[in-house]
Amino acid sequence: MAEVSVPRILATVPKGAWVPLGLLAAWALAAGSGVAASPLFVSPLEVLRVPFADPDGQEVWAALGASILRVVGGGLTGVLLGLVLGMLCGLSRVASLGVAPTIHTARQIAVFAWIPLFTAWFGNGEATKLVFTALSTFFPVFLATERGIRSTPKALEEVARTLDLPFGKRLLRFYLPAALPTIQVGFRIAVLSAWIGTIGAEYAIGNGRGLGSFIASARDQFRMDIVLVGVFVLAAGGVIFNHACERLFAILFPWAKE
Amino acid sequence: MTLEQVQQKRAAVLRPELRKDNGNAPATAALSIGRVGKSFSLNGSPREILRDVSFTVGKGEIVGVLGASGCGKSTLLRLIVGLDQDYSGRIAVSGEETRGLNRDVAMVFQDHRLFPWLTVAGNVGLALEALDLPGKEKADRIRHYVDLVGLSDYIDAYPKQLSGGMAQRAAIARALVSEPNILLMDEPFGALDSLLRLRLQDELLRIWDRNNVSIVVVTHDIEEALYLSDRVIVLEANPGRIHSVIDVGLDRPRLRDDPHIVSLKRQCLELVLDPPARITS
């Protein structure tokens, strides 16, 4: 029986998990055999223990909560601004000629280059982190909304015109839903950049609670185990955010799924 | 019989109260097109699409517009519905000149053009948004027109859940729900298979019989034009202009193989395939 069940369990392992499992095995082997003996080289088991047993490691949960709040707060601001400005530039020729070039140029600046400016303007606290998160969310949402609204199907636009829809209804019942597939792509990118942006800002500024500053201070104390915990939580957070957004879209817009 | 007499005869058939009339007072036409022309420039050189097109549509009349593709028949409908306001000449609805969108005119396109994110009820209701009706009346009207096109069981279905024929029925309900005086149809059954096309033609006539809406139906299907219309306007191309007007002059319900329709069909085929010199008036 036992001989049969082992391959059976192996068969249930998803193909995509083989590479990470292999790396994990190599890591455990290297740590266990003492090949890589260095205070900076920790074993997988230690990393697993830290967030639950280590008093410094336990702070990862509070840090995670703080980062999530920042993503939600800053991200919502950025999404809202991106939607509004994107719609404006998609619908109005004046806005698209007047405002869009500025935004498109500002987008070319690597987002992290804004951090020195923001800390000068908004200080070394919460405000800078939120503004930075909002900014990194804003660009993808703005771009996608603008493009989505501009590329709404002409045939359906004619229907909206012949039905003489009032402006508000035209926006809610036609332009937004028609642009939704494009907006959704931008939104997915935005969620990821909100996450990366928040952690990046926390890491660069280094103070306060948050996953970024958690990793930064662990690095400063040469606590490799805590750094790794932070990195794994970071990855898990990104995956969870991505899934949550897809679920949200599926619930809000049932007609969009196949 | 002159055009006006024909129209009055039609109107009298449709509306018994007019029958007592002596027939001399000409009712205002539902739609009148006066010397309409349209051209645009293609790579800098002007191109004439429509020239000097004039006709009227009486109240409750069905007029077919027949012509080969490229003769400007779809353009004509776009001018009437107001999607394109750049034309010469005059278009009047119920005697009043109009340019641009008019709530008295609704349009059904060849493809259903339903919004995929709205249900049948949502799509039909969209046409009422501009009308500012109280909620209950709005819901009643949507239900009534969805029933009329036979989609009661699909009122909450999304367009992708409908077959081609059902989607086109929903599009007809959307056009009729605002109760326009004029319904423009641009090859409305052109995308459907031939059996379904015949069935929807009969359904259209049944709806028209209850609604008394004036219909202009553009088609390249000669049988469809003759079966549906009181009059058929034959357009010729380059530039699009009226070649001739055929008075079908049959009461409804009609037989599809009525000898009169068969002989008119032969006539139409000759006109469309091998147009003789125009009869200039």
Side-chain angles (χ1 to χ4, degrees), chain B residues 104-123:
Chain B
D104 254 353
V105 184
M107 178 131 166
V108 172
F109 298 89
Q110 177 172 4
D111 40 341
H112 58 76
R113 297 198 183 183
L114 297 173
F115 290 2
W117 47 87
L118 294 177
T119 60
V120 168
N123 270 290

Side-chain angles (χ1 to χ4, degrees), chain B residues 112 159 162-170 188 191-192 196 200:
Chain B
H112 58 76
L162 303 177
S163 69
M166 295 197 296
Q168 197 60 333
R169 284 194 192 110
L192 307 177
L196 196 56
L200 279 184

